[in-house]
Amino acid sequence: LVDVMTRKDVLAGCDVVRQGDPGEFFYVLESGRLNVIKSETQENQAESNAAASTQSTAEISEPKLVGTIEAGGCFGELALLYERDRAATVRSTVPSTLWALDRGTFRYIL
């Protein structure tokens, strides 16, 4: 599997993926630490609170830290499996090394 993956080194503060972008890669974190950050639109907040909203605005809330990824962790599979945009931003907190598997190879392996 490592033979078909590409090494990606990122600096602290670098966005590996951004919320809303199309998913192109599955990632495995070799070393470092990543924060998972998510913003919600007012519509999503209303849905998650099970409240009816008559507004159809798309204002984005303040980004919130919803998780962290440590060495050995992985992410990005949902965007590839379901052909959806990225559900969150993943940002490095320290210099980090990741291994990336492209969409075509990921789907072929499955």
Side-chain angles (χ1 to χ4, degrees):
L1 189 58
V2 173
D3 290 339
V4 295
M5 298 182 87
T6 304
R7 181 182 169 137
K8 182 174 181 178
D9 295 307
V10 295
L11 300 173
C14 178
D15 289 347
V16 179
V17 299
R18 291 192 178 117
Q19 183 175 346
D21 285 353
E24 300 296 329
F25 294 94
F26 167 73
Y27 293 95
V28 177
L29 181 60
E30 177 181 314
S31 64
R33 182 180 171 110
L34 308 171
N35 281 345
V36 181
I37 304 160
K38 188 167 183 166
S39 298
E40 293 189 36
T41 64
Q42 284 182 345
E43 291 170 347
N44 288 344
Q45 287 173 347
E47 289 172 11
S48 66
N49 292 333
S53 175
T54 57
Q55 295 178 332
S56 62
T57 62
E59 286 185 38
I60 297 175
S61 68
E62 192 68 28
K64 293 181 183 177
L65 179 66
V66 295
T68 58
I69 302 170
E70 302 283 344
C74 58
F75 63 97
E77 69 281 3
L78 295 178
L80 298 182
L81 285 170
Y82 301 109
E83 296 186 19
R84 296 201 168 225
D85 291 340
R86 297 291 184 186
T89 295
V90 177
R91 182 174 296 145
S92 61
T93 60
V94 297
S96 301
T97 299
L98 301 107
W99 290 89
L101 184 64
D102 68 89
R103 176 192 295 272
T105 306
F106 179 85
R107 292 183 74 84
Y108 177 78
I109 290 171
L110 292 180

